[in-house]
């Protein structure tokens, strides 16, 4: 069925509920209420806030990849990490695991910083800031991309939609048949619809759509595809590990684990752990589920992750957790996105239940 243009429009301005959260946070910030909210909340809750980032970089007008993955500019990220260092207790995954295993309890106002995928701006931009400010972070990497240097498939799809020359975008398996807008911003908005619908398909269906789109555009992914969409290298990851960062797993090929067959799932997890162990000298203790929504992991995935020696697992579902044995493989995170300014970021940390982004539900084909 053709995609309703109203759905496309919904991916433009932020939804009203999000705007209300932002306005409320900014008022609390302006009225100097956030320290009080943080203190009061800390009296009643002792939990773990986990911040989820993807990319830290400037976004020029000609940037032609998924803008939604750019979590912050370098300046904004520095300000966020400085506030975190001054007002909270940054912790590592090892501290979380130790607390779960009966060791020292996490400090009050504990915050864990995480990054997904493994883009090279994590090394070039985020790592120097984290190291300078003394904030630990965990970088969840898709090992196949670290090995081969290829762009991430979903981001390459976004790139093709933004840059393709066709007059129409016709993706029948996604129920999409629309004129392609000439405006770059409108195309970026459309990529959100495409990617949501793509992720609704099973793994075989996703790969078929990706392959077909690449073939029709005549632009397959290669290791030298584009400088704006490169993964890190093992040498860079080793330097980050030696600089106090932790490296975790994110699968091999960034595939939605719950949508894989048993054999493919086992390979994705075991080969990820094997490459991390071989390149970094020790098994990884933490993994985040690619895409990370409710349809990206399940009990079968958690069993495979546990069997390969990972000690904790992270979703991309918004919220905070009190880590225990019932949720150590289902830990929630709070997404940081590029529209989060200083006041809103401080509000998100002070009272995430009030101010953080709600989890976005996927748009299903009808």
């Amino acid at each position: 069925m053709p995609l309703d243009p109203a759905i496309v429009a919904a991916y433009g301005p932020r939804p009203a509920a999000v705007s209300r959260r932002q306005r409320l946070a900014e008022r609390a910030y302006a009225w100097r209420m956030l320290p009080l909210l943080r203190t009061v909340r800390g009296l009643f809750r002792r939990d773990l806030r986990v911040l989820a980032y993807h990319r830290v970089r400037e976004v020029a007008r000609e940037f032609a990849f998924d803008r939604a993955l750019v979590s912050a500019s370098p300046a904004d990220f520095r300000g966020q990490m400085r506030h975190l260092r001054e007002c909270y207790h940054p912790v590592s995954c090892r501290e979380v695991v130790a607390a779960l295993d009966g060791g020292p309890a996490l400090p009050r106002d504990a915050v864990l910083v995480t990054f997904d995928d493994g883009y090279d701006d994590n090394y070039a931009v985020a790592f120097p800031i984290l190291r300078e400010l003394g904030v630990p972070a965990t970088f969840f990497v898709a090992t196949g991309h670290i090995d081969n240097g290829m762009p991430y498939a979903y981001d390459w799809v976004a790139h093709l939609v933004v840059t393709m020359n066709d007059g129409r975008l016709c993706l029948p398996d996604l129920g999409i048949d629309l004129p392609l807008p000439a405006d770059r911003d409108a195309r970026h908005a459309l990529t959100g619809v495409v990617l949501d619908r793509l992720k609704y398909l099973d793994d075989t269906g996703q790969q078929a759509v990706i392959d077909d789109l690449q073939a029709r555009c005549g632009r397959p992914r290669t290791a030298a595809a584009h400088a704006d969409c490169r993964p890190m290298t093992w040498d860079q990851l080793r330097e980050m590990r030696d600089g106090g960062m932790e490296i975790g797993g994110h699968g091999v090929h960034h595939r939605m684990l719950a949508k894989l067959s048993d054999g493919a799932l086992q390979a994705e997890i075991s080969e990820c752990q094997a490459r991390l162990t071989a390149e970094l000298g020790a098994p990884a203790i933490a993994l985040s589920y690619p895409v990370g929504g409710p349809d990206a992991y399940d009990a079968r995935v958690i069993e495979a992750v546990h069997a390969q020696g990972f000690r904790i697992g992270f979703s991309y579902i918004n919220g905070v957790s009190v880590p225990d044995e019932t949720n150590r493989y289902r830990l929630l995170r709070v997404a940081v996105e590029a529209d989060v300014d200083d006041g809103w970021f401080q509000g998100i940390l002070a009272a995430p239940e009030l101010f953080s982004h709600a989890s976005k539900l996927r748009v299903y084909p009808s």
Side-chain angles (χ1 to χ4, degrees):
M1 152 178 194
L3 191 66
D4 186 340
I7 296 178
V8 180
Y11 279 81
R14 299 294 299 178
V18 174
S19 298
R20 285 195 296 272
R21 291 170 191 259
Q22 181 178 15
R23 289 196 300 270
L24 182 61
E26 289 174 348
R27 287 172 184 166
Y29 173 75
W31 296 342
R32 303 179 185 272
M33 294 175 59
L34 295 179
L36 176 62
L37 282 174
R38 175 170 63 89
T39 300
V40 171
R41 185 182 183 279
L43 294 175
F44 296 96
R45 294 206 60 170
R46 193 182 184 97
D47 51 22
L48 174 67
R49 301 165 179 86
V50 184
L51 300 180
Y53 292 84
H54 281 89
R55 310 192 65 177
V56 177
R57 57 163 295 148
E58 300 289 355
V59 177
R61 172 69 182 172
E62 61 271 16
F63 182 75
F65 289 88
D66 190 356
R67 287 181 183 171
L69 293 184
V70 179
S71 304
S73 70
D76 286 344
F77 183 70
R78 179 182 294 278
Q80 291 166 6
M81 294 302 100
R82 183 180 293 115
H83 176 72
L84 173 60
R85 176 82 268 176
E86 292 172 352
C87 299
Y88 294 85
H89 291 90
V91 297
S92 66
C93 280
R94 293 199 176 278
E95 291 174 272
V96 177
V97 169
L100 283 167
D101 291 346
L106 292 174
R108 199 171 296 279
D109 284 335
V111 181
L112 173 65
V113 177
T114 65
F115 282 79
D116 278 1
D117 297 347
Y119 288 92
D120 65 353
D121 51 68
N122 293 181
Y123 168 80
V125 181
F127 170 51
I129 294 171
L130 292 163
R131 180 174 53 186
E132 174 191 336
L133 297 176
V135 176
T138 300
F139 294 82
F140 296 112
V141 301
T143 57
H145 291 276
I146 307 301
D147 283 334
N148 61 31
M150 288 178 61
Y152 301 89
Y154 295 141
D155 213 353
W156 193 246
V157 167
H159 178 65
L160 294 179
V161 172
V162 170
T163 61
M164 66 192 304
N165 293 322
D166 294 14
R168 296 187 70 83
L169 179 63
C170 183
L171 299 171
D173 289 343
L174 305 185
I176 293 176
D177 186 3
L178 291 172
L180 263 174
D183 180 71
R184 178 64 66 92
D185 290 339
R187 289 202 182 196
H188 276 290
L190 182 57
T191 63
V193 182
V194 172
L195 293 175
D196 271 3
R197 291 209 161 192
L198 178 65
K199 293 169 187 176
Y200 175 65
L201 301 180
D202 63 21
D203 185 70
T204 300
Q206 290 188 29
Q207 299 308 312
V209 170
I210 293 168
D211 291 345
D212 178 64
L213 185 59
Q214 290 182 123
R216 285 194 287 115
C217 291
R219 296 164 64 192
R221 289 183 296 151
T222 66
H226 202 288
D228 283 342
C229 192
R230 287 178 180 162
M232 290 182 281
T233 67
W234 288 114
D235 284 342
Q236 291 170 341
L237 290 168
R238 280 187 281 270
E239 181 182 341
M240 294 165 69
R241 176 207 58 195
D242 294 343
M245 305 298 126
E246 292 178 313
I247 311 303
H250 202 47
V252 178
H253 302 296
H254 197 268
R255 297 161 75 184
M256 294 176 70
L257 300 175
K259 296 180 179 288
L260 300 176
S261 67
D262 288 346
L265 168 61
Q266 293 297 330
E268 194 76 7
I269 302 303
S270 63
E271 291 174 17
C272 174
Q273 182 68 288
R275 292 297 294 134
L276 290 168
T277 302
E279 293 289 346
L280 302 177
I285 63 171
L287 178 140
S288 74
Y289 310 112
V291 180
D295 54 349
Y297 72 103
D298 53 21
R300 185 174 60 105
V301 172
I302 290 172
E303 182 180 355
V305 169
H306 176 262
Q308 290 301 321
F310 293 100
R311 308 292 301 283
I312 49 176
F314 294 86
S315 73
Y316 208 78
I317 298 172
N318 190 74
V320 294
S321 304
V322 179
D324 59 31
E325 285 304 316
T326 67
N327 65 13
R328 71 185 296 157
Y329 291 100
R330 302 174 183 271
L331 295 172
L332 306 176
R333 294 192 283 175
V334 177
V336 181
E337 300 183 2
D339 57 355
V340 174
D341 58 17
D342 287 345
W344 195 3
F345 179 80
Q346 293 187 27
I348 285 172
L349 278 182
E353 297 85 357
L354 292 176
F355 303 126
S356 62
H357 287 292
S359 295
K360 185 177 70 175
L361 297 178
R362 191 154 291 128
V363 177
Y364 297 149
S366 53

